Amino acid sequence: LPLLAAVDKKLSFFDRIAACFKDYRDSKRIEHSARDLLAQRIFALALGYEDLNDHDLLKRDPLLAAIVGKKDLLGKQRSRSRDTGNPLASSKTLNRLELTKEDSGPQERYHKIVCCDDKLESLLVDLFLESYSKAPRKIVLDLDHTDILLHGKQENRFFHGYYDNYCYLPLFIFCDKQLLVAQLRSSDGDPMRGVIDELSRVVGQIREAWPKTKILIRGDSGFCREEFMVWCEAQENVDFLFGLRKNNRLIDEIEYEKLLVEADYILTGEPQRRVKEFQYTTLH
């Protein structure tokens, strides 16, 4: 926790996240600011406490309270006697934060802390840009989607044949180890959905700060689509490198290299690799 708090202090992380939310609550009647609620929830997630009901115990933790920024670490000065001994928010209070809809407003009774999605999405890219002292000559944006297994009756659950389970299929965009995009998606649609929209936003934001930086977009064969490659080619200083699904024409092209690899393996007993470069276009 102290190490995570040091990161927050350097980046003003939770203050900036809180700025991505609109809090319509009466400031005179609240004990936990939106910033404190977000810090409590995110710190707990980082420590492996995924479920909201974990906070029915964590709300008493004086170390977590200190890292969040609470001054009353033992919860002795709470406004209601039933909350005495709990310096942090309960699962019910955090639940109000998580269940607030984007069109909520001051007229709501409980759910009044609204997330501004566009600001939150931009913040990830801002933090990435700020991590560089000067514009790099070239960056690589890696695209990926992976499964998040579901173990209950979650909303929009769907059975995915490839992963052989019920799961979500979120989209991620990384640059090296830095996360630029995390988009939660159900697993019953095209893995390409939303990719061009997200990249258009990210590349545009990067271009504003680094107009001359070359960008390489990289992904596996699931992203090798005609419309996506056309989009990449239309961008200035953007290259792409995608995997290509195996097909008979490609297999025939590397038949000789396959024989060489097999022969080398028989001679050495060690795994072998050969690379062949050639021109290839689709038939259509």
Side-chain angles (χ1 to χ4, degrees):
L1 275 174
L3 291 175
L4 292 173
V7 174
D8 171 46
K9 184 176 181 181
K10 182 175 182 179
L11 300 178
S12 299
F13 187 62
F14 290 113
D15 289 336
R16 298 176 71 176
I17 291 181
C20 300
F21 288 75
K22 291 181 179 179
D23 191 348
Y24 292 107
R25 298 176 298 168
D26 183 353
S27 60
K28 298 178 181 179
R29 303 181 63 184
I30 62 174
E31 294 183 280
H32 306 294
S33 66
R35 184 261 178 210
D36 289 352
L37 292 175
L38 290 162
Q40 178 182 339
R41 184 68 167 121
I42 294 173
F43 275 137
L45 286 170
L47 294 173
Y49 298 104
E50 299 179 1
D51 298 326
L52 274 180
N53 58 15
D54 292 329
H55 290 266
D56 291 335
L57 289 177
L58 291 174
K59 65 183 180 181
R60 308 171 191 167
D61 190 327
L63 177 57
L64 180 57
I67 299 303
V68 167
K70 296 293 187 180
K71 295 182 179 179
D72 178 18
L73 301 184
L74 299 179
K76 294 183 177 181
Q77 301 172 15
R78 297 296 302 274
S79 60
R80 296 183 299 183
S81 59
R82 68 182 184 182
D83 292 326
T84 301
N86 302 324
L88 293 168
S90 67
S91 60
K92 293 180 179 179
T93 302
L94 290 168
N95 192 52
R96 296 180 183 182
L97 169 68
E98 300 205 358
L99 292 183
T100 300
K101 299 179 181 180
E102 60 182 17
D103 58 351
S104 297
Q107 75 281 358
E108 299 289 338
R109 182 174 182 181
Y110 296 117
H111 304 117
K112 297 184 178 184
I113 307 175
V114 182
C115 177
C116 303
D117 290 341
D118 55 342
K119 292 184 179 180
L120 196 59
E121 291 169 348
S122 297
L123 178 58
L124 281 175
V125 182
D126 286 338
L127 291 169
F128 161 71
L129 294 170
E130 292 167 11
S131 69
Y132 287 77
S133 58
K134 63 178 181 179
R137 184 181 63 84
K138 181 179 180 179
I139 60 172
V140 179
L141 301 182
D142 283 308
L143 313 180
D144 198 9
H145 46 249
T146 188
D147 61 316
I148 295 181
L149 297 183
L150 303 178
H151 304 286
K153 300 290 185 179
Q154 282 93 336
E155 185 179 5
N156 295 325
R157 69 195 293 266
F158 189 80
F159 187 86
H160 196 289
Y162 179 81
Y163 296 106
D164 195 28
N165 213 323
Y166 289 91
C167 62
Y168 291 139
L169 196 67
L171 168 69
F172 297 106
I173 301 179
F174 284 90
C175 183
D176 195 14
K177 296 181 180 181
Q178 296 199 60
L179 178 65
L180 278 67
V181 170
Q183 183 190 82
L184 185 62
R185 307 177 302 178
S186 61
S187 63
D188 59 343
D190 187 345
M192 265 297 298
R193 67 190 186 279
V195 172
I196 292 179
D197 289 340
E198 291 296 330
L199 268 176
S200 297
R201 175 181 62 81
V202 170
V203 170
Q205 197 171 343
I206 292 173
R207 278 282 172 261
E208 290 182 6
W210 303 336
K212 297 182 180 179
T213 297
K214 290 185 66 67
I215 299 175
L216 173 65
I217 297 174
R218 186 166 61 181
D220 61 22
S221 59
F223 298 97
C224 189
R225 307 290 184 87
E226 175 68 18
E227 67 274 14
F228 190 19
M229 291 186 283
V230 168
W231 179 86
C232 291
E233 290 172 341
Q235 311 306 307
E236 185 177 356
N237 271 342
V238 172
D239 295 325
F240 59 91
L241 178 63
F242 299 143
L244 193 62
R245 287 188 178 92
K246 182 169 62 176
N247 61 56
N248 291 333
R249 289 178 60 209
L250 292 175
I251 294 173
D252 291 343
E253 188 70 40
I254 61 170
E255 188 64 34
Y256 179 65
E257 284 69 25
K258 286 176 59 182
L259 294 173
L260 292 177
V261 166
E262 291 171 0
D264 290 342
Y265 176 75
I266 293 173
L267 290 174
T268 65
E270 299 290 335
Q272 302 293 318
R273 174 182 291 178
R274 282 181 177 269
V275 177
K276 179 180 180 180
E277 182 176 336
F278 58 92
Q279 296 293 323
Y280 173 87
T281 59
T282 60
L283 295 176
H284 302 286

